[in-house]
Amino acid sequence: MEFLNGFEHASIEKAVKILKDGDVVAFPTETVYGLGADALNSYAVAKIFEIKKRPKFDPLIVHIGDREWISAIADYVPPEAKKLIDKFWPGPLTLILKKKDAIPGIVTAGLPTVAIRMPSHPVALNLIRSFGNPIAAPSANPFGYISPTNAQHVAKMLGDDVSLILDGGSSNYGIESTIVSFNEDKIYLHRHGAISYEELSATAGPVNEKEKNSSCEAPGELPYHYAPTKPLKIIHTIDEIDDARSSFLAFKKPLKTPISKYIKVLSNSGGMREAAANFFSYLIELDQDDVNIIYAENIPETGLGKAMMERLKKASKKYMHITH
Ligand code: TXA
Ligand code: MG
């Protein structure tokens, strides 16, 4: 692990090279430190989840270098969002907007929306602009730890799991960005953070607490989990497939051809990173109108396999409720 002064040009150049090579760097923002990868490269983003060791996928925030970049990744910016952008960007406010296809499924955990913010920290802005692509980044803490607010925290928490940490001093705010979404002229607060409720409403009018989503599967469950609309069943061998009007999500290349109408192989060689990079886009692709069921091959629960299985188990539970 290397530690470089983020205010120096050579450090930014080095970080940009790492990002271009599809790897991960830790960088400062004004809220907390982030663990960043090229937001348009699903394989690079899979590495973030590997390092975070989180047993599930969470949607990530996409960090942009200029407000003009929004149009490449989000479909529509409502007037309320424009007001908030004028007032708070660059800064600790994250907007949830409808996503464009350029953003891979692993960034949003399969959701049709993407969280976007333009940070104000000079090192973050310099990094993003020099790189030229949006950077997907969660807070740079492993699962179970609080968010790091200086480079030493990151080094202690991630050690050799990350090859470069850009040091930009202590984060000014020390808490995460405020997250809002929009629906029919209304603004919803998803996460309290560095910008207060009062500041938001002074700029854009009334702000609602996050909607209690009716598609929520169970009490206490976060509503943003993507689940296929078709029933899903986890299987251990392809002999368990007894419906040809089905999709099959294979982990590795199958030894014989399954009878399923649609087949996707997450990784021919069974590589976890490659599998995770393909996971959400394949799952969405296999969720076809003309199938009765999606079969998913059991994935070994090591590394990223745990997070993929978490999602598959959740989807298959929904199926059990329907059929039993
Ligand atoms: O200040 C921050 O926001 C820091 C710095 C690095 O930018 N980032 C951060 O990321 O806190 P993270 O991954 O620790 O938290 C982002 C949260 C996710 O846990 C999720 O709840 C929410 O943002 N999120 C992201 N995309 C979403 C979406 N499409 N819909 C709903 N929630 C979303
Ligand atoms: Mg976090």
Side-chain angles (χ1 to χ4, degrees), residues 138-171:
S139 48
N141 52 296
F143 177 58
Y145 287 73
I146 56 161
S147 303
T149 54
N150 66 42
Q152 288 73 27
H153 289 167
V154 180
K156 224 183 275 167
M157 289 183 197
L158 296 179
D160 286 332
D161 287 346
V162 57
S163 57
L164 175 61
I165 301 172
L166 287 178
D167 188 348
S170 287
S171 297

Side-chain angles (χ1 to χ4, degrees), residues 15-207:
V16 165
K17 176 156 190 326
I18 291 173
L19 292 172
K20 288 201 166 141
D21 286 343
D23 233 312
V24 172
V25 290
F27 66 99
T29 85
E30 70 279 18
T31 57
V32 298
Y33 273 64
L35 187 61
D38 182 351
L40 308 183
N41 176 345
S42 54
Y43 190 81
V45 174
K47 288 186 188 173
I48 293 177
F49 288 103
E50 213 168 59
I51 295 171
K52 290 273 286 186
K53 296 195 175 69
R54 208 158 196 269
K56 54 188 233 162
F57 292 111
D58 254 352
L60 303 178
I61 295 173
V62 172
H63 298 72
I64 60 176
D66 195 280
R67 63 165 69 188
E68 262 79 65
W69 293 22
I70 294 186
S71 58
I73 54 179
D75 246 355
Y76 169 69
V77 183
E80 298 76 28
K82 288 200 177 114
K83 266 191 223 163
L84 292 173
I85 288 171
D86 285 341
K87 174 79 179 171
F88 296 109
W89 275 14
L93 180 69
T94 298
L95 311 177
I96 297 176
L97 300 172
K98 247 184 117 245
K99 93 172 184 76
K100 277 196 172 157
D101 287 345
I103 297 293
I106 190 169
V107 171
T108 65
L111 288 177
T113 53
V114 58
I116 306 173
R117 90 176 183 98
M118 178 182 173
S120 62
H121 195 293
V123 174
L125 272 184
N126 196 4
L127 176 68
I128 301 163
R129 288 173 178 167
S130 305
F131 178 49
N133 264 4
I135 296 178
S139 48
N141 52 296
F143 177 58
Y145 287 73
I146 56 161
S147 303
T149 54
N150 66 42
Q152 288 73 27
H153 289 167
V154 180
K156 224 183 275 167
M157 289 183 197
L158 296 179
D160 286 332
D161 287 346
V162 57
S163 57
L164 175 61
I165 301 172
L166 287 178
D167 188 348
S170 287
S171 297
N172 278 341
Y173 289 93
I175 58 166
E176 287 93 344
S177 63
T178 302
I179 304 180
V180 295
S181 68
F182 307 89
N183 191 15
E184 291 167 0
D185 312 339
K186 288 206 176 101
I187 303 172
Y188 292 91
L189 186 61
H190 276 248
R191 178 173 77 182
H192 289 273
I195 289 173
S196 71
Y197 178 89
E198 288 76 12
E199 284 175 279
L200 283 179
S201 43
T203 299
V207 176

Side-chain angles (χ1 to χ4, degrees), residues 222-257:
L222 294 167
Y224 54 67
H225 285 288
Y226 170 78
T229 59
K230 292 291 166 174
L232 183 142
K233 190 175 180 202
I234 299 169
I235 57 173
H236 289 80
T237 77
I238 59 174
D239 297 329
E240 292 175 63
I241 299 177
D242 58 8
D243 188 338
R245 277 174 66 97
S246 64
S247 305
F248 178 45
L249 182 69
F251 173 51
K252 284 194 265 198
K253 196 175 169 61
L255 297 176
K256 56 182 183 187
T257 309

